[in-house]
Amino acid sequence: GGAGVTGTGQQSILLAFDFGFRRLGVATGNMHTRTASPLTTLEVREELPWNEIDRVIAQWQPGQLVVGLPQGEGVAQVAARIRAFAAALAQRYALPVATVDETLTSEAARDELRSNRRSGFLRRRVGKGRTDRVAACLIAEQWMSER
């Protein structure tokens, strides 16, 4: 057998992050089927939850990471933090990290959850953590659709 390149199939898996100062939404994406699923929401305290991110990366072994990056007015400070987060991900996991414009994804996620709740699909009130996961899911879908 040849060393190195074994087709583990993991190259088709991506993890997407919706970065927030209080919460970090995480979603998985499958590049073959071009589908994404909300995964989890991690609490952000003084430090980023690297131990939990480590666990998610180890569990899914993605070939690609995607981070939502807001564009436009009044987000320069947030965007700088997100770029630093993306750079830290690349350094820590030695994985390609892409950013996508996610200016609209949080709003879209809220709309999607609201309409699901109205249709009776979601019984409970939409928690903030759920919005973050769905936003991460939309980030994954957006990145895949742009490829």
Side-chain angles (χ1 to χ4, degrees):
V5 187
T6 54
T8 58
Q10 298 304 316
Q11 292 309 305
S12 63
I13 300 294
L14 73 86
L15 284 177
F17 297 91
D18 177 51
F19 181 92
F21 291 116
R22 289 189 298 278
R23 288 177 309 275
L24 187 64
V26 187
T28 61
N30 182 316
M31 293 185 250
H32 285 319
T33 59
R34 291 181 174 273
T35 54
S37 311
L39 181 62
T40 186
T41 301
L42 306 178
E43 292 290 319
V44 175
R45 297 194 172 83
E46 297 81 54
E47 297 278 309
L48 282 163
W50 286 113
N51 289 345
E52 293 169 70
I53 298 170
D54 288 347
R55 237 193 326 273
V56 172
I57 298 274
Q59 184 185 353
W60 290 89
Q61 304 193 337
Q64 174 76 48
L65 304 178
V66 182
V67 180
L69 185 67
Q71 315 276 315
E73 304 287 306
V75 294
Q77 198 180 358
V78 178
R81 282 281 294 272
I82 293 172
R83 281 197 193 89
F85 171 62
L89 284 173
Q91 193 173 20
R92 189 177 181 103
Y93 304 112
L95 288 167
V97 179
T99 56
V100 294
D101 177 5
E102 58 102 297
T103 309
L104 302 171
T105 51
S106 290
E107 203 42 59
R110 278 193 287 277
D111 290 347
E112 190 172 312
L113 288 166
R114 255 188 233 116
S115 64
N116 283 345
R117 201 169 71 235
R118 271 199 298 275
S119 69
F121 182 66
L122 287 177
R123 299 259 175 265
R124 295 194 307 278
R125 256 190 79 253
V126 175
K128 287 190 168 68
R130 183 176 288 204
T131 306
D132 298 317
R133 286 195 289 276
V134 172
C137 191
L138 295 172
I139 288 165
E141 288 169 353
Q142 185 174 331
W143 183 82
M144 288 188 287
S145 74
E146 288 170 5
R147 285 182 58 102

